[in-house]
Amino acid sequence: MKMEDGKVYIFDSLRKKKLILTPEEWVRQHWINFLIAHKGYPKGLFALEKGMKYNKLSKRTDLVVFDRDGMPFLLIECKAPEVQINEKTLAQAMSYNKEIKSPNIVLSNGLRHICFGYNKTKNTYEQLNDLPIIP
C-alpha cells in the first residue's frame, strides 16, 4: 500500500497496477489473497471486473474464478464492509450469474461471507459451509 496525493493505493498483483484502495477493493484484494495463498487457486484463473451486458446495461462482476477448462467456477460479489449482505446482494449476484453461469457464488462484505453452490439434482443454489475446491 502507498499514500499518494492524499489517497491510499494498493498494488494489484493480478492486474499489475496500482489502484485506489476503496472499501470494496479492500474486500476484493483480501479474497484474491485468500484464494491464492490459502486455498491454492492458481492466479491465471482469475478475472477481475469482467465486463458483461445485462438487460442492455453494461455491468462488471467483481471477481470470477475459472476452472482449468476455462469455465466459470466461482463468482464473488464484493461489497464494502458497511453494506449488508442480504437478498438484494444475492439478487445482484444472481442477475450477473445469468450471464456468467458459475456453479458457485460468494457474497462478501469482508466481514460476512456467504457461499452458495449449485445443486444439479434440485436445480437450485444452496448455502455451503465452505468454499469449493477448484477442479
Side-chain angles (χ1 to χ4, degrees), residues 30-128:
H30 275 81
W31 271 102
I32 292 167
N33 181 58
F34 175 72
L35 293 172
I36 293 169
H38 299 281
K39 291 293 189 176
Y41 284 42
K43 282 184 182 183
L45 300 180
F46 287 73
L48 288 84
E49 295 188 323
K50 181 176 172 54
M52 57 177 277
K53 292 277 188 190
Y54 180 72
N55 287 339
K56 298 183 182 179
L57 298 173
S58 293
K59 299 288 184 178
R60 292 190 181 276
T61 57
D62 289 319
L63 182 59
V64 178
V65 182
F66 294 87
D67 66 19
R68 288 178 171 86
D69 293 326
M71 301 302 294
F73 177 74
L74 179 63
L75 169 66
I76 301 179
E77 179 60 30
C78 300
K79 296 295 183 188
E82 65 273 7
V83 176
Q84 292 294 315
I85 299 301
N86 55 27
E87 287 183 26
K88 182 178 177 184
T89 312
L90 178 59
Q92 180 183 4
M94 294 303 285
S95 69
Y96 293 164
N97 203 41
K98 286 180 183 177
E99 178 73 24
I100 302 292
K101 296 179 178 40
S102 174
N104 302 289
I105 299 171
V106 170
L107 310 175
S108 178
N109 65 4
L111 303 172
R112 183 171 183 222
H113 326 287
I114 303 173
C115 184
F116 298 92
Y118 184 69
N119 182 322
K120 290 179 185 178
T121 306
K122 296 180 181 178
N123 194 31
T124 61
Y125 281 85
E126 298 177 345
Q127 192 168 341
L128 303 175

